[in-house]
């Protein structure tokens, strides 16, 4: 069933055309990813579909009684509310129903004690209980706590005022609230920003099983592959639909463009051939050939001439060079620790952080939000001091830093002035040429930095980094604001860079392409893994299932790469240390498995008891006896409270 359709939608701002004759339909249950370059009109389209923005021409149809939820890139909350107040407001109708049921129960008790007829009131109470059950009243609190936990909001956040949260935390809270509302059509604008890998995986699974329709904008290629079944590409004011996820779309788009270009070139070749024949026929001047020329001219005029395929949107040109090589040893750390605050407010970020980074390595650091990844990068560059431990920086190491917050940019400068302030030796012409390579052409080179979009600021920061000539690039979430085309160019530039790269990233497609090693960072230190994200996840699953760390590879005689990886791993960890870690992990997993089984049995028991109590409360001998009904109600409430606590314990166990 079609739940949403658009016909010939157009939108312009003055003379700037954003969308032109956009048409498509969306079926119930579709998972649609909208892709396109920054500024192509993706958010404009989402604003139009969600009713946030008027359109100039065309028609939009949304099936009746369809609820809509929209996650924007920036959300507005009641900033004086606490996190729990904001989330609880979603279930205000259930809370009110609980109050009404409590009042009615009290009224039943009073009238029964006076011997008054309570049959009508009991009937109303029964209807309320049915409505309460229908609206998920018995489990909404567990669902609320579960989604908050999944969005990294522990109990410590519940009483925090929203205006004290960071931008990323506000985005995660907005997403949690939207998921709890469960609209029929879910519009999401960059939902993966500010999410760590664990939360991303949870969101993927949630969206896969979501009962409604999902339409999202994302530059996260891995996320798109995991969640969507159709791709809408916005390019050159038009929209083209593709079946499948991102990888399928990329291949289909390549084939489609090649086919369009082939047909266009073939037709142009045929037109040229016919025009040459007509010219020759006319040149001979005979009546017969003149008639033939006229006939061919008519056929040529009636031909449906194909439009030339639109040129590929301008792409960033980036190439990282190092002014000089560093020594072979780049960074060595032993026992690094860092905490903030003092006394009871002291928060320990991490401890026991050890690593040894060599020249030419590409290290990607992953870990939960708040574990201290950005802080560690600043310690590496000596911008912060560790509380304890040893850090040794190698010979001739020159750092270049990409800050995800873009704090190295002066908002008051123009783009041109920002670059000239940092690199004065370039002539104006040379600087304009460099800016053009990063898509700052014509008047856009004189825009104020503070007015730039996130993607434009990212490109400007990358240009400054490219010109620095550093031999060690330290990058904090560099792909967050880049569109897909820019990401791919940036990735290729990193692969060609001869120096060392250290990156914090949650972009799993990027993590599958770039690293030679992945560092998983936790509060108790770093665990190194060779290779890409898929390999890293495979090793984590093996460890979780109790397999020995040393038996991680089936070595073959013709696999020199695998032998090299094994030897490097043996260098990283001694055999005794590997055995100790493996045993500790196995014991931890066994304890977790036993506790999980116990909690699940407890949940099952409590749910059966609650169901049994609710059935008994509907029996005539119980609901006609207000004292007995009150006792049953009290006992049932105790079990519900215990069930909620047990669910919370079970959810916390899943996050460990």
């Amino acid at each position: 069933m079609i739940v949403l359709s658009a016909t010939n939608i157009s939108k312009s701002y003055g003379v700037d055309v954003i969308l032109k004759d956009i048409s498509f339909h969306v079926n119930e249950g579709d998972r649609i990813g909208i892709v396109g370059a920054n500024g192509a009109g993706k958010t404009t389209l989402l604003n139009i579909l969600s009713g946030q923005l008027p359109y100039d021409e065309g028609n939009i149809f949304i099936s009746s009684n369809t609820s809509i939820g929209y996650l924007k890139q920036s959300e507005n909350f009641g900033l004086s509310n606490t996190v729990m107040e904001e989330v609880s407001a979603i279930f205000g109708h259930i809370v009110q129903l609980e109050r009404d049921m409590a009042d009615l129960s009290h009224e039943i008790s009073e009238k029964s004690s006076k011997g008054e007829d309570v049959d009508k009131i009991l009937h109303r109470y029964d209807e309320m209980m049915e409505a309460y059950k229908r609206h998920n009243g018995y489990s909404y609190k567990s669902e609320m706590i579960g989604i908050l936990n999944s969005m990294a909001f522990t109990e410590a956040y519940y009483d925090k005022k929203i205006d004290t949260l960071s931008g990323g935390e506000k985005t995660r809270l907005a997403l949690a609230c939207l998921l709890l509302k469960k609209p029929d059509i879910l519009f999401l604008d960059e939902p993966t920003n500010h999410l760590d890998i664990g939360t991303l995986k949870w969101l993927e699974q949630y969206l896969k099983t979501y009962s409604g329709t999902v339409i999202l904008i994302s530059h996260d290629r891995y996320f798109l592959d995991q969640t969507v079944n159709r791709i809408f590409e916005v390019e050159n004011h038009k929209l083209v639909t593709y079946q499948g996820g991102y990888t399928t779309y990329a291949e289909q788009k390549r084939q489609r463009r090649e086919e369009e270009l082939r047909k266009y070139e073939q037709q142009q070749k045929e037109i040229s051939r016919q025009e040459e024949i007509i010219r020759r026929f006319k040149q001979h001047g005979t009546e017969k050939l003149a008639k033939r020329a006229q006939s061919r001219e008519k056929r040529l005029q009636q031909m449906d001439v194909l439009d030339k395929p639109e040129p590929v949107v301008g792409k960033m040109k980036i190439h990282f060079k190092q002014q000089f090589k560093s020594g072979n040893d780049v960074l060595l750390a032993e026992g690094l620790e860092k905490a903030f605050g003092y006394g009871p407010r002291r928060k320990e970020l991490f401890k026991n952080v050890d690593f040894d980074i060599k020249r030419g390595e590409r290290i990607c650091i992953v870990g939960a939000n708040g574990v201290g990844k950005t802080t560690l990068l600043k310690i590496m560059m000596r911008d912060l001091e560790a509380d304890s431990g040893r850090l040794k920086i190698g010979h001739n190491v020159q750092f270049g830093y990409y800050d995800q917050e873009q704090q190295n940019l002066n908002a008051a400068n123009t783009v041109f002035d920002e670059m000239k302030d940092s690199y004065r030796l370039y002539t104006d012409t040379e600087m304009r040429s460099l800016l053009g390579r990063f898509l700052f052409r014509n008047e856009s080179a004189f825009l104020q930095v503070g007015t730039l979009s996130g993607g434009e600021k990212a490109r400007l920061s990358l240009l400054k980094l490219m010109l620095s000539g550093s031999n060690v690039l330290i990058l904090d979430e560099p792909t967050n604001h880049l569109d897909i085309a820019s990401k791919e160019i940036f990735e290729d530039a990193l692969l060609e860079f001869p120096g060392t790269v250290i990156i914090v990233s949650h972009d799993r497609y990027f993590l599958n392409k770039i690293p030679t090693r992945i560092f998983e960072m936790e509060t108790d230190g770093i665990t190194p893994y060779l290779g890409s994200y898929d390999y890293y996840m495979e090793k984590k699953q093996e460890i979780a299932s109790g397999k020995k760390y040393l038996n991680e590879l089936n070595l073959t005689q013709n696999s020199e790469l695998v032998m090299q990886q094994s030897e490097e791993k043996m260098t990283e960890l001694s055999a005794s240390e590997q055995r100790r870690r493996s045993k500790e992990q196995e014991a931890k997993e066994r304890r977790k498995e036993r506790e999980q089984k116990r909690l699940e049995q407890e949940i099952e028991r409590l749910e059966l008891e609650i169901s049994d109590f609710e059935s008994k409360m509907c029996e005539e001998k119980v609901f006609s006896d207000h004292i007995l009904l009150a006792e049953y109600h009290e006992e049932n409430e105790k079990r519900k409270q215990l069930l909620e606590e047990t669910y919370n314990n079970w959810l916390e166990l899943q996050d460990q």
Side-chain angles (χ1 to χ4, degrees):
M1 183 181 81
I2 294 177
V3 294
L4 185 153
S5 67
T7 307
N8 298 326
I9 297 298
S10 297
K11 178 66 180 178
S12 300
Y13 291 106
V15 296
D16 294 329
V17 176
I18 308 301
L19 303 171
K20 182 67 175 175
D21 296 329
I22 299 289
S23 298
F24 59 86
H25 71 272
V26 178
N27 295 316
E28 185 177 9
D30 266 346
R31 306 283 188 273
I32 293 171
I34 303 177
V35 302
N38 287 334
K42 303 185 297 296
T43 298
T44 298
L45 177 60
L46 217 57
N47 284 334
I48 289 172
L49 297 179
S50 61
Q52 307 285 316
L53 187 68
Y55 47 95
D56 301 332
E57 298 175 8
N59 293 292
I60 291 177
F61 161 80
I62 298 178
S63 60
S64 58
N65 300 320
T66 298
S67 58
I68 288 175
Y70 186 15
L71 175 76
K72 301 180 182 180
Q73 290 192 50
S74 58
E75 287 292 334
N76 294 318
F77 289 105
L79 298 181
S80 61
N81 287 349
T82 65
V83 168
M84 186 52 74
E85 285 171 346
E86 191 71 31
V87 175
S88 298
I90 297 167
F91 300 97
H93 60 294
I94 300 179
V95 174
Q96 185 58 50
L97 199 54
E98 286 176 337
R99 293 187 188 125
D100 293 343
M101 288 169 64
D103 292 343
L104 209 56
S105 177
H106 181 67
E107 187 179 348
I108 290 170
S109 298
E110 283 189 343
K111 291 194 174 184
S112 294
S113 64
K114 296 175 183 178
E116 297 180 19
D117 183 14
V118 294
D119 285 349
K120 289 184 179 180
I121 303 176
L122 284 170
H123 182 68
R124 281 171 54 204
Y125 188 82
D126 186 50
E127 287 178 341
M128 283 185 179
M129 286 188 68
E130 283 300 318
Y132 188 71
K133 186 176 182 180
R134 191 168 58 252
H135 287 92
N136 205 25
Y138 293 115
S139 59
Y140 81 93
K141 289 183 180 177
S142 298
E143 182 182 14
M144 184 169 65
I145 298 301
I147 285 185
L148 280 174
N149 282 338
S150 299
M151 288 289 130
F153 289 107
T154 60
E155 195 171 342
Y157 279 90
Y158 294 172
D159 294 327
K160 279 191 175 183
K161 296 283 188 182
I162 291 175
D163 59 2
T164 66
L165 300 180
S166 67
E169 287 169 339
K170 288 175 183 175
T171 300
R172 285 189 280 116
L173 180 60
L175 180 55
C177 290
L178 191 57
L179 296 180
L180 286 166
K181 291 176 183 175
K182 298 179 182 176
D184 297 320
I185 301 179
L186 195 56
F187 292 108
L188 304 173
D189 193 352
E190 293 288 359
T192 62
N193 285 353
H194 309 293
L195 301 184
D196 59 32
I197 289 176
T199 309
L200 274 173
K201 289 170 66 179
W202 176 88
L203 181 59
E204 285 170 358
Q205 293 304 315
Y206 187 92
L207 293 180
K208 283 178 184 178
T209 58
Y210 190 72
S211 58
T213 302
V214 180
I215 302 176
L216 60 89
I217 294 171
S218 182
H219 293 142
D220 188 326
R221 296 155 290 177
Y222 199 100
F223 182 78
L224 289 168
D225 266 338
Q226 294 295 313
T227 54
V228 306
N229 65 332
R230 296 172 71 193
I231 293 284
F232 286 3
E233 182 186 40
V234 181
E235 186 179 33
N236 296 317
H237 321 307
K238 303 289 187 181
L239 184 143
V240 181
T241 64
Y242 298 85
Q243 296 297 321
Y246 171 78
T247 301
T248 306
Y249 141 77
E251 178 60 21
Q252 287 178 352
K253 181 184 178 181
R254 183 188 65 78
Q255 292 176 356
R256 173 178 158 271
R257 182 167 182 79
E258 287 178 356
E259 180 65 13
E260 286 178 349
L261 192 59
R262 183 184 64 80
K263 287 181 178 178
Y264 172 78
E265 289 173 347
Q266 283 180 344
Q267 189 182 64
Q268 289 296 309
K269 188 176 180 180
E270 177 62 18
I271 290 172
S272 297
R273 191 177 75 85
Q274 291 296 332
E275 287 174 342
E276 177 63 18
I277 290 172
I278 292 167
R279 185 187 65 78
R280 288 180 179 178
F281 281 175
K282 288 181 176 180
Q283 186 177 352
H284 284 76
T286 67
E287 184 178 348
K288 188 176 181 181
L289 290 179
K291 286 182 178 179
R292 286 188 178 181
Q294 288 175 358
S295 176
R296 286 180 181 265
E297 279 182 327
K298 285 180 181 179
R299 288 205 301 269
L300 201 58
Q301 289 167 1
Q302 292 169 357
M303 180 183 289
D304 186 11
V305 180
L306 299 175
D307 293 330
K308 185 176 182 179
E310 294 281 357
V312 176
V313 177
K315 292 185 177 181
M316 182 173 65
K317 297 176 183 177
I318 183 169
H319 182 63
F320 292 111
K321 292 182 179 179
Q322 54 182 8
Q323 290 178 339
F324 46 80
K325 283 170 55 174
S326 70
N328 187 55
D329 297 318
V330 174
L331 282 168
L332 175 68
E334 295 175 346
L336 294 183
E337 294 186 18
K338 187 63 181 177
F340 289 105
Y342 299 95
R345 294 192 174 184
R346 187 177 190 270
K347 180 186 177 184
E348 184 180 82
L349 284 182
F350 54 78
K351 61 182 179 180
N352 303 325
V353 167
D354 303 328
F355 54 78
D356 185 4
I357 299 174
K358 303 297 185 182
R359 183 182 65 228
E361 284 197 286
R362 296 188 299 275
I363 306 294
C364 287
I365 304 174
V366 301
N369 287 333
V371 78
K373 302 185 294 296
T374 298
T375 300
L376 180 62
L377 295 185
K378 292 180 178 179
I379 289 173
M380 289 178 178
M381 297 182 294
R382 301 281 197 201
D383 288 347
L384 281 177
E385 287 296 323
D387 295 338
S388 62
R390 173 174 171 257
L391 176 69
K392 181 181 178 183
I393 298 175
H395 179 64
N396 274 347
V397 167
Q398 180 185 3
F399 293 115
Y401 181 50
Y402 177 95
D403 176 15
Q404 66 167 317
E405 302 295 334
Q406 314 295 352
Q407 292 181 357
N408 61 333
L409 301 178
N410 185 344
N413 274 344
T414 65
V415 171
F416 183 82
D417 290 339
E418 178 70 18
M419 293 306 304
K420 288 291 284 184
D421 283 353
S422 299
Y423 300 100
R424 298 180 181 277
L425 296 180
Y426 287 92
T427 66
D428 288 359
T429 302
E430 289 171 335
M431 187 57 72
R432 288 293 299 274
S433 176
L434 285 166
L435 286 168
R437 288 176 58 182
F438 279 69
L439 310 184
F440 293 105
R441 301 188 178 103
N442 302 323
E443 67 277 0
S444 65
F446 299 99
L447 292 173
Q448 197 169 10
V449 171
T451 67
L452 299 180
S453 68
E456 289 168 332
K457 288 179 181 177
R459 294 202 310 271
L460 185 58
S461 293
L462 286 175
L463 174 55
K464 293 182 74 172
L465 185 66
M466 184 184 83
L467 296 182
S468 70
S470 304
N471 52 35
V472 179
L473 305 181
I474 294 188
L475 314 171
D476 192 1
E477 296 287 2
T479 63
N480 261 6
H481 297 288
L482 296 178
D483 57 38
I484 290 174
S486 297
K487 284 182 181 183
E488 291 173 345
I489 293 165
F490 174 56
E491 289 163 354
D492 291 341
L494 289 180
L495 290 173
E496 293 172 0
F497 179 56
T500 307
V501 184
I502 303 168
I503 312 163
V504 168
S505 180
H506 294 135
D507 185 333
R508 290 160 297 169
Y509 205 98
F510 180 88
L511 291 171
N512 255 341
K513 190 173 179 180
I514 294 302
T516 54
R517 281 197 292 167
I518 287 179
F519 285 1
E520 182 183 46
M521 187 171 178
E522 298 174 296
T523 54
D524 196 33
I526 281 177
T527 305
Y529 295 85
L530 281 169
S532 66
Y533 173 77
D534 284 344
Y535 177 84
Y536 152 71
M537 290 306 301
E538 178 187 334
K539 298 318 303 170
K540 282 178 67 68
Q541 289 167 5
E542 285 185 13
I543 292 171
S545 63
K547 291 184 178 179
K548 298 291 185 181
Y549 188 79
L550 284 173
N551 294 333
E552 61 187 23
L553 296 171
N554 294 319
L555 297 177
T556 55
Q557 291 181 347
N558 62 350
S559 179
E560 294 180 6
L561 175 60
V562 171
M563 288 293 293
Q564 180 185 348
Q565 290 175 344
S566 180
E567 289 169 3
E568 289 178 3
K569 279 190 163 79
M570 289 295 291
T571 303
E572 290 168 7
L573 297 174
S574 67
S576 60
E577 178 66 11
Q578 292 173 33
R579 286 194 296 273
R580 183 185 69 79
R581 290 191 181 190
S582 181
K583 287 180 180 178
E584 284 182 357
Q585 185 65 31
E586 289 172 6
K588 182 179 177 181
E589 291 301 321
R590 284 196 298 271
R591 289 195 299 272
K592 179 179 177 180
E593 199 171 318
R594 286 196 298 270
E595 179 63 8
Q596 180 174 320
K597 188 174 180 180
R598 185 190 70 78
L599 289 172
E600 287 171 350
Q601 289 172 345
E602 179 72 1
I603 287 169
E604 185 178 2
R605 181 185 68 80
L606 288 168
E607 287 179 338
L608 285 172
E609 288 183 6
I610 290 169
S611 178
D612 187 45
F613 265 98
E614 288 172 353
S615 297
K616 288 180 179 178
M617 288 164 70
C618 293
E619 293 175 3
E620 185 177 357
K621 67 177 182 180
V622 176
F623 72 68
S624 61
D625 185 342
H626 70 278
I627 296 175
L628 185 59
L629 180 63
E631 289 175 354
Y632 271 59
H633 179 74
E634 185 178 352
E635 286 297 321
N636 206 29
E637 286 301 310
K638 289 179 182 177
R639 282 161 177 76
K640 287 179 186 177
Q641 180 64 32
L642 185 56
L643 177 63
E644 183 176 330
E645 293 171 0
T646 309
Y647 262 124
N648 290 340
N649 293 336
W650 182 83
L651 286 167
E652 287 177 5
L653 195 66
Q654 308 311 303
D655 293 335
Q656 291 177 3

